[in-house]
Amino acid sequence: MDDLTKTIVERGDLAHLALFLWATGASSLLVWALREMAAGNKRFNDFVSEIASLNRLFRRGDE
């Protein structure tokens, strides 16, 4: 990686390197956020399913 950075700096493409690093960081953050949101949605769905099963259980007890 050091050789790649040195080559980029020598060619004067420092702005391209900064843009690449920013884009990589932003994309990584987006992927992480989407994974966390998907996991949160799954946990919420599991919670709602458990509440629904409790409601069914309590309705059977009332009959």
Side-chain angles (χ1 to χ4, degrees):
M1 184 73 174
D2 188 47
D3 292 335
L4 177 64
T5 307
K6 184 177 177 182
T7 303
I8 290 172
V9 170
E10 286 174 356
R11 291 181 53 201
D13 289 339
L14 194 55
H16 288 105
L17 176 63
L19 182 61
F20 171 74
L21 292 175
W22 175 82
T24 303
S27 297
S28 299
L29 184 61
L30 175 65
V31 168
W32 175 79
L34 288 174
R35 283 184 185 164
E36 289 295 317
M37 197 163 39
N41 285 340
K42 183 180 180 334
R43 287 190 301 269
F44 182 72
N45 190 33
D46 293 343
F47 172 74
V48 170
S49 296
E50 289 297 321
I51 294 295
S53 67
L54 280 174
N55 283 337
R56 283 191 301 272
L57 179 68
F58 288 139
R59 274 193 220 127
R60 281 188 213 143
D62 290 341
E63 293 174 358

